[in-house]
Amino acid sequence: MGLPRLVCAFLLAACCCCPRVAGVPGEAEQPAPELVEVEVGSTALLKCGLSQSQGNLSHVDWFSVHKEKRIPIFRVRQGQGQSEPGEYQHRLSLQDRGATLALTQVTPHDERIFLCQGKRPRSQEHRIQLRVYKAPEEPNIQVNALGIPVDSKEPEEVATCVGRNGYPIPQVIWYKNGRPLKEEKNRVHIQSSQTVESSGLYTLKSILKAQLVKEDKDAQFYCELNYRLPSGNHMKESREVTVPVFYPTEKVWLEVEPVGMLKEGDRVEIRCLADGNPPPHFSISKQNPSTREAEEETTNDNGVLVLEPAQKEHSGLYECQGLDLDTMISLPSEPQELLVNYVSDVRVSPAAPERQEGSSLTLTCKAESSQDLEFQWLREETGQVLERGPVLQLHDLKREAGGGYRCVASVPSIPGLNRTQLVNVAVFGPPWMAFKERKVWVKENMMLNLSCEASGHPRPTISWNVNGTASEQDQDPQRVLSTLNVLVTPELLETGVECTASNDLGKNTSVLFLELVNLTTLTPDSNTTTGLSTSTASPHTRANSTSTERKLPEPESQGVVIVAVIVCILVLAVLGAVLYFLYKKGKLPCGRSGKQEMERNTSI
């Protein structure tokens, strides 16, 4: 029993000695240093944690620890501080009555341990760990503009992300369509590297490599930088980028613009589309309706077939061919029928109708179209709608019924698709004059343009009774306008001017009377004209009589009226003056006494 007790006593003695061995000076674990965090460029406040009750702040030495070596940087004697020569010589100062050492313009090189040590009663020290932070610049992302083929055997570079001037090194996270990407063997690889600038800041470069598929053609990639500041954790995101993805063509098809029903005159574009990238080389062909063979059409530089203006001949069966220049495989599209709606060959029968007065006429309109048609008849001169339908009936024709009639053939289901045909109806008769008589106000020895208009069937000709330069112009198949340029002479003022229209059925005459313009002449009325030209009356006021008057009664002279008015005014003025003179002389009994005297005289 004595041996076990001896062993226990030995073990107990050994256990009691262990703490003492750990407490040997220089071998005990030092407490964790105080942590101070600042941003680059700011001021770090290093507080010495020595007990002030011992009065040892009057004698303190400050050190920086670099590579486990203490370097003196500042000393305090009797409360007065002084920098030691070196890198901190001009950036240190005392604050808080000597308890705090201020380090200005902090840089990444200042991230280290600082130590303050008192002298009495025995050496004491306080350690401070300075942590320095700097937010990186906005991340810059560059996409692989050359693109990535989907049949690549290994991951290809998608984009590169660069974050400059950060401290410490930020972390990068890549995203695709808002979801973070992780390393995946043979699928996703992220390669990052960093560079230390002379300022001590870091520039991070990260390259994303991936194997892409066809569905990634619209994928959005971006990078995110995560970093820390004294205020906490932060992050910055780059812009989103899309990388070109190359994949073979599987389908080719045709597209026609505009969409919907087409009509003649439209601008039509036919283009080929494919689901491959890059797109294949396209060609467009149209089936020949006679031979049933496909004939290649000429396209523009963009491979688009432009039909402008579209015609009914452009209707037919079109097909697109897409040639893959890498595999030299040609893929055809499904044939597509193109229909250009039209209205054509609008014709009226009879084409040149001629009728006697009092007879009837039936006009029939026909047309060709790809759709159902509607017809209507318009009067050419007025635009009035006369009939809806292909047939127009005219009964008991008068001379006024002669002229133009227009047939309009339209497709109601396609706005703007219509064609018209004009037909002129001729009613036999002698010439009609636009006016029977007209007065023209002129000046002597002036050159004057006179005009005369007549209509009839057969078409009349116009002649003048005076010499001058005459010219004729057809207004429509039955109406003609003649213009005469003549010098105003006294003889012309005396005789006036006649124009005569004639055809195989008779003749008619219009007379133009010339009057000199003077001060006593009134402004011409609606049946007169002034100056170098004459106005033409509307067809509704035509004179149809075959006899004419050579002279019109002279208008009443307006000068007589003016003189009469002036004489009346003068007589009234003289009478008023005489009455006023008599009143002043007392000859007029206009007062109360005068009134009484007048009454007495009246009574007598």
Side-chain angles (χ1 to χ4, degrees):
M1 295 297 293
L3 182 59
R5 290 180 180 178
L6 181 61
V7 172
C8 288
F10 177 78
L11 293 175
L12 181 60
C15 291
C16 291
C17 292
C18 289
R20 295 179 183 176
V21 173
V24 175
E27 296 183 5
E29 289 188 5
Q30 297 180 353
E34 178 188 355
L35 181 63
V36 175
E37 296 179 320
V38 294
E39 291 191 45
V40 169
S42 62
T43 298
L45 300 179
L46 309 177
K47 295 184 178 182
C48 188
L50 298 177
S51 175
Q52 300 184 17
S53 62
Q54 298 176 354
N56 54 4
L57 290 180
S58 62
H59 189 110
V60 177
D61 292 313
W62 284 88
F63 301 90
S64 70
V65 180
H66 183 61
K67 295 182 179 180
E68 299 183 356
K69 181 181 179 181
R70 295 187 179 188
I71 302 173
I73 58 173
F74 201 83
R75 65 176 182 270
V76 181
R77 300 292 184 268
Q78 302 299 323
Q80 300 296 321
Q82 181 178 356
S83 296
E84 298 287 354
E87 60 177 318
Y88 293 106
Q89 183 174 358
H90 302 293
R91 292 195 291 146
L92 295 174
S93 62
L94 278 181
Q95 292 185 7
D96 195 16
R97 294 182 297 178
T100 301
L101 184 65
L103 173 62
T104 61
Q105 296 297 319
V106 173
T107 70
H109 300 294
D110 297 328
E111 185 170 275
R112 61 185 64 183
I113 290 179
F114 292 85
L115 184 149
C116 68
Q117 187 177 52
K119 187 174 182 181
R120 293 178 302 187
R122 57 189 179 91
S123 297
Q124 292 182 339
E125 63 181 29
H126 180 72
R127 300 164 67 86
I128 303 171
Q129 175 66 62
L130 181 62
R131 296 290 186 193
V132 180
Y133 300 94
K134 168 68 167 63
E137 299 174 4
E138 295 291 332
N140 180 34
I141 188 170
Q142 295 294 330
V143 71
N144 176 10
L146 299 179
I148 299 175
V150 296
D151 56 0
S152 177
K153 302 301 182 183
E154 57 185 25
E156 297 280 347
E157 180 179 329
V158 176
T160 300
C161 180
V162 177
R164 300 184 183 278
N165 298 323
Y167 193 89
I169 303 172
Q171 291 184 340
V172 62
I173 301 177
W174 283 94
Y175 289 84
K176 183 179 81 170
N177 296 331
R179 296 184 177 181
L181 293 173
K182 296 182 179 180
E183 285 275 353
E184 184 179 347
K185 187 176 181 180
N186 297 328
R187 295 287 298 171
V188 179
H189 177 58
I190 300 174
Q191 178 183 337
S192 298
S193 61
Q194 56 272 347
T195 303
V196 182
E197 308 293 343
S198 59
S199 60
L201 301 176
Y202 290 102
T203 293
L204 174 68
K205 180 180 180 181
S206 180
I207 301 175
L208 172 64
K209 295 183 178 181
Q211 273 195 330
L212 302 183
V213 294
K214 180 179 178 181
E215 290 69 26
D216 293 324
K217 59 185 178 67
D218 298 318
Q220 299 287 328
F221 294 90
Y222 68 94
C223 63
E224 175 186 283
L225 297 181
N226 291 280
Y227 57 95
R228 191 178 184 281
L229 295 177
S231 58
N233 294 324
H234 300 268
M235 67 89 172
K236 290 183 178 181
E237 294 178 345
S238 71
R239 61 185 175 91
E240 293 182 328
V241 295
T242 301
V243 63
V245 179
F246 302 126
Y247 44 90
T249 298
E250 298 176 355
K251 183 180 178 181
V252 177
W253 66 94
L254 276 172
E255 184 179 84
V256 179
E257 290 183 356
V259 178
M261 300 187 74
L262 306 176
K263 65 180 184 295
E264 281 192 319
D266 286 346
R267 173 186 170 90
V268 180
E269 293 185 358
I270 304 175
R271 58 171 49 86
C272 293
L273 298 175
D275 61 354
N277 187 34
H281 174 73
F282 294 120
S283 62
I284 301 176
S285 59
K286 177 177 180 288
Q287 186 183 80
N288 188 312
S290 301
T291 64
R292 302 274 182 186
E293 295 289 335
E295 298 178 354
E296 185 172 343
E297 299 287 328
T298 302
T299 60
N300 60 18
D301 295 339
N302 298 322
V304 179
L305 175 60
V306 179
L307 309 177
E308 186 181 20
Q311 303 293 333
K312 67 177 182 179
E313 293 79 10
H314 292 139
S315 298
L317 202 61
Y318 288 83
E319 186 180 83
C320 180
Q321 292 283 339
L323 176 63
D324 191 320
L325 299 179
D326 291 332
T327 63
M328 299 306 293
I329 297 176
S330 180
L331 292 177
S333 69
E334 290 291 333
Q336 183 169 335
E337 185 75 29
L338 182 73
L339 175 60
V340 179
N341 292 284
Y342 65 92
V343 177
S344 64
D345 299 329
V346 181
R347 50 199 184 278
V348 175
S349 60
E354 296 177 327
R355 293 292 186 275
Q356 298 291 339
E357 281 191 279
S359 63
S360 298
L361 174 64
T362 299
L363 298 175
T364 303
C365 187
K366 297 181 179 180
E368 302 293 333
S369 177
S370 57
Q371 304 288 337
D372 293 336
L373 287 173
E374 286 187 355
F375 294 90
Q376 65 177 359
W377 287 91
L378 307 178
R379 190 70 161 106
E380 179 68 11
E381 287 79 3
T382 63
Q384 178 187 1
V385 177
L386 302 177
E387 186 68 53
R388 297 189 183 275
V391 178
L392 175 64
Q393 297 279 352
L394 300 176
H395 301 286
D396 191 19
L397 290 174
K398 304 297 183 184
R399 291 186 176 183
E400 291 82 357
Y405 294 82
R406 186 172 295 275
C407 171
V408 180
S410 60
V411 176
S413 59
I414 305 177
L417 180 55
N418 61 73
R419 292 289 184 273
T420 68
Q421 180 62 48
L422 177 66
V423 61
N424 281 287
V425 175
V427 179
F428 287 102
W432 298 351
M433 307 307 293
F435 58 88
K436 186 65 178 176
E437 297 162 335
R438 180 171 298 279
K439 182 176 292 186
V440 182
W441 300 93
V442 299
K443 294 181 180 179
E444 192 171 356
N445 296 324
M446 68 180 290
M447 293 301 297
L448 183 64
N449 283 330
L450 300 175
S451 63
C452 183
E453 182 181 346
S455 61
H457 186 71
R459 174 190 177 279
T461 58
I462 296 178
S463 60
W464 298 84
N465 69 332
V466 296
N467 294 326
T469 304
S471 61
E472 284 189 1
Q473 182 179 359
D474 289 336
Q475 303 299 295
D476 59 43
Q478 286 83 45
R479 187 160 54 100
V480 63
L481 175 69
S482 178
T483 303
L484 177 69
N485 185 262
V486 66
L487 178 67
V488 178
T489 63
E491 295 79 8
L492 204 62
L493 291 169
E494 178 67 24
T495 61
V497 179
E498 290 183 0
C499 67
T500 302
S502 60
N503 63 10
D504 294 342
L505 302 179
K507 63 181 180 178
N508 210 334
T509 302
S510 289
V511 181
L512 296 97
F513 297 102
L514 307 183
E515 292 289 340
L516 289 176
V517 178
N518 53 60
L519 294 178
T520 62
T521 305
L522 286 178
T523 301
D525 59 22
S526 59
N527 292 322
T528 63
T529 56
T530 304
L532 301 181
S533 63
T534 61
S535 61
T536 302
S538 66
H540 303 290
T541 61
R542 290 173 176 170
N544 299 324
S545 173
T546 56
S547 63
T548 61
E549 296 290 339
R550 291 300 307 273
K551 286 287 184 177
L552 284 177
E554 291 295 328
E556 182 180 355
S557 175
Q558 301 300 318
V560 176
V561 176
I562 295 173
V563 170
V565 171
I566 295 174
V567 170
C568 291
I569 293 173
L570 292 175
V571 170
L572 292 174
V574 171
L575 180 59
V578 171
L579 293 175
Y580 181 76
F581 176 76
L582 294 175
Y583 170 74
K584 284 294 187 179
K585 293 295 184 178
K587 299 298 183 180
L588 290 178
C590 293
R592 180 180 297 273
S593 59
K595 181 178 180 182
Q596 295 174 354
E597 182 179 352
M598 289 176 66
E599 291 177 350
R600 288 197 300 271
N601 293 335
T602 303
S603 62
I604 293 174

